[in-house]
Structures are given as C-alpha cells and as structure tokens.
Amino acid sequence: MDKNVVFAVITIFWLLFAVVGYLISFWYEERGVIRCCAIATAVCCYLAWLVTFLMQMNPMIGPRASQKIIFGMMSYWPNSFLHDEPDP
C-alpha cells in the first residue's frame, strides 16, 4: 500500500474512535471520565503509531567505518566472503 493511504486510514480510524467514544459518553452518568479515557486512548495510540511510522519512513543511518576497518573486518572474521580456507 502507498504510505499516504496507510497514513490516511490510520488517522481516520483513530479520529473515528475518539468521536465514537465522545458520543457514547452521553449515554452514561460518568461522561467526563469516559470522554477523557476515550480521547486519551485515541491520542496516545495514534501518537505511538505515528512515531513508529515516521521512524520507518526515514531510518537513521547505521554506523560508519573507514575502508581500512571494513577490509580488516572482512579479512579477519571467519564468516566473511574473503576466507576460502581457515587461518593457520
């Protein structure tokens, strides 16, 4: 799926969750508590998803090493592709 479609669907879902929770609160005597719980749940879950989604869109760059260090790792590690035979 396209990232804009996913973003829109999840945003609409949590917005509808908050609106439905707000409207259901009118049926009960503890309106304030139910409204607070429904809206806080929607906001917290949406923010947790949004942070995860945005971090995956632009991931951090991994560690950088110089060319000498990379060649050293490739030549000394036993699982590197340079080793055809075991070291003496």
Side-chain angles (χ1 to χ4, degrees), residues 24-84:
I24 287 176
S25 70
F26 287 112
W27 294 348
Y28 298 98
E29 197 170 309
E30 300 85 11
R31 289 181 183 92
V33 175
I34 295 173
R35 281 185 205 151
C36 181
C37 289
I39 292 174
T41 299
V43 168
C44 290
C45 288
Y46 178 72
L47 286 177
W49 174 83
L50 183 65
V51 167
T52 305
F53 182 74
L54 292 177
M55 286 175 57
Q56 290 178 2
M57 282 180 55
N58 191 12
M60 294 178 62
I61 297 171
R64 296 184 182 202
S66 68
Q67 195 169 11
K68 287 181 182 180
I69 293 173
I70 293 172
F71 182 72
M73 288 188 300
M74 287 172 35
S75 61
Y76 289 114
W77 286 355
N79 293 334
S80 68
F81 64 89
L82 292 177
H83 281 265
D84 290 336

